[in-house]
Amino acid sequence: MRRRALLLGSPLLLLARPAAAANELVYVLNSGDSSISVIDADSRQEMRRIPALREVHHLVLSPDGRDLLIADSGGNEIFFVDPATGDVRRRERISNPYHLDFTPDGRHLVICSLRRNQVDIYQASDLTLLARLRMPDKPSHMAFRPDGKVVYVTLQGSGTVAAVSLETRTPMWEAPVGREPAGIVWHRGKLIVGVMGADHFAVMNPETREIERQIQIGRGAHTIFIQPDGKALWATSRVQSRLAEIDPSTLDVRRVIELPGGPDCIAFAPDGAIWTTLRWAGRIARVDPRTGEYETIRVGRSPHGIFVQPGRVES
């Protein structure tokens, strides 16, 4: 059932929050505007807009929580931002950073370069480049094995998933998964991959490299995220404009929320709200996962990555 978009500030969508929390911020990467919107989560107002260079897509919080790394793929730089204030601390020259993430132990930063067909492994402490792997075609998203020894990368152009050893820094294998694979997550020994050129997520066994099942979501199946408490997975269909809740044990779809505008990346707030970018609408949505009701907030063009910085706890 299609849910109606509510007006900004509607009291129907205000979830319970700790009274002492303040300044919860939502960072939105406007890839079409070369800018970063900083939204106050309580007022739903844009507090500031940070200028970028050419094309910002993805972001990740540093393991110590001090820096929010925002990748400007077109500008070949990473912005290091104070997540509590939005101040840019420094900028580093990095080759075409599209998707990026830290290894589970925090020692390495892995970067996928969609345009230059490379996967780079950096030493996280000082951004020393340790290895550059040529990976045809279009390295997109990544997921780590829990022990941090292997990173799995989707290759949009090849329709495959590649496994890379972080011990030897060499490719291990490549296996077909479907046309234009995008988001990928490790879940209970399996890899769940959004097949953007189709209508489903593929469940791959990384040991046998076989597709064991498909999870039907809708056209443009894109990214998938694990709810912080582990009680659900949330997946997006960018073309059919759906947000789907998936049972973590059975991988069955519990429900589908129709969310117009092309939902893309997801971030979870401490109060349980789900924030998602609406790629085609120039908006973000705040979804109440208990009811499926949502409201939308205007940001820049083609918003992609999103991050929620929890509010400070005041004594």
Side-chain angles (χ1 to χ4, degrees), residues 237-274:
S237 159
R238 206 163 66 175
V239 175
Q240 209 156 339
S241 288
R242 290 175 169 178
L243 176 65
E245 181 185 5
I246 298 171
D247 186 292
S249 298
T250 65
L251 298 184
D252 293 331
V253 177
R254 288 173 175 162
R255 60 175 167 160
V256 170
I257 300 171
E258 304 289 346
L259 196 57
D264 199 310
C265 288
I266 288 173
F268 299 95
D271 64 5
I274 298 172

Side-chain angles (χ1 to χ4, degrees), residues 133-262:
L133 309 178
R134 299 298 176 184
M135 302 286 290
D137 181 11
K138 296 183 179 178
S140 180
H141 293 63
M142 74 186 82
F144 295 101
R145 202 167 72 185
D147 62 10
K149 294 181 179 180
V150 179
V151 60
Y152 302 93
V153 177
T154 53
L155 302 175
Q156 281 189 22
S158 303
T160 58
V161 170
V164 174
S165 169
L166 291 170
E167 295 181 305
T168 64
R169 300 169 194 158
T170 56
M172 298 168 59
W173 53 259
E174 186 177 340
V177 68
R179 190 160 58 92
E180 294 183 87
I184 181 172
V185 69
W186 174 282
H187 179 67
R188 301 184 182 183
K190 310 294 181 182
L191 295 170
I192 306 178
V193 184
V195 184
M196 193 165 54
D199 60 357
H200 64 270
F201 283 76
V203 181
M204 174 184 282
N205 184 326
E207 298 299 324
T208 65
R209 307 170 207 173
E210 294 180 349
I211 304 301
E212 296 185 344
R213 64 175 291 184
Q214 296 178 352
I215 307 172
Q216 300 294 324
I217 298 294
R219 296 188 307 279
H222 194 60
T223 52
I224 185 165
F225 300 83
I226 301 173
Q227 191 169 290
D229 61 8
K231 294 181 179 180
L233 290 84
W234 292 88
T236 60
S237 159
R238 206 163 66 175
V239 175
Q240 209 156 339
S241 288
R242 290 175 169 178
L243 176 65
E245 181 185 5
I246 298 171
D247 186 292
S249 298
T250 65
L251 298 184
D252 293 331
V253 177
R254 288 173 175 162
R255 60 175 167 160
V256 170
I257 300 171
E258 304 289 346
L259 196 57

Side-chain angles (χ1 to χ4, degrees), residues 7 9 19 26 89 107 115 171 190 196 199 206 218 237 258 270 272 287:
L7 296 176
V26 181
R89 288 191 169 118
R107 293 176 55 200
R115 290 176 180 157
K190 310 294 181 182
M196 193 165 54
D199 60 357
S237 159
E258 304 289 346
V287 182

Side-chain angles (χ1 to χ4, degrees), residues 3-14:
R3 301 290 184 177
R4 61 191 179 91
L6 302 180
L7 296 176
L8 299 189
S10 168
L12 296 178
L13 271 296
L14 296 179

Side-chain angles (χ1 to χ4, degrees), residues 122-142:
Y122 289 85
Q123 186 167 286
S125 59
D126 59 5
L127 292 185
T128 297
L129 180 61
L130 302 175
R132 172 162 291 165
L133 309 178
R134 299 298 176 184
M135 302 286 290
D137 181 11
K138 296 183 179 178
S140 180
H141 293 63
M142 74 186 82

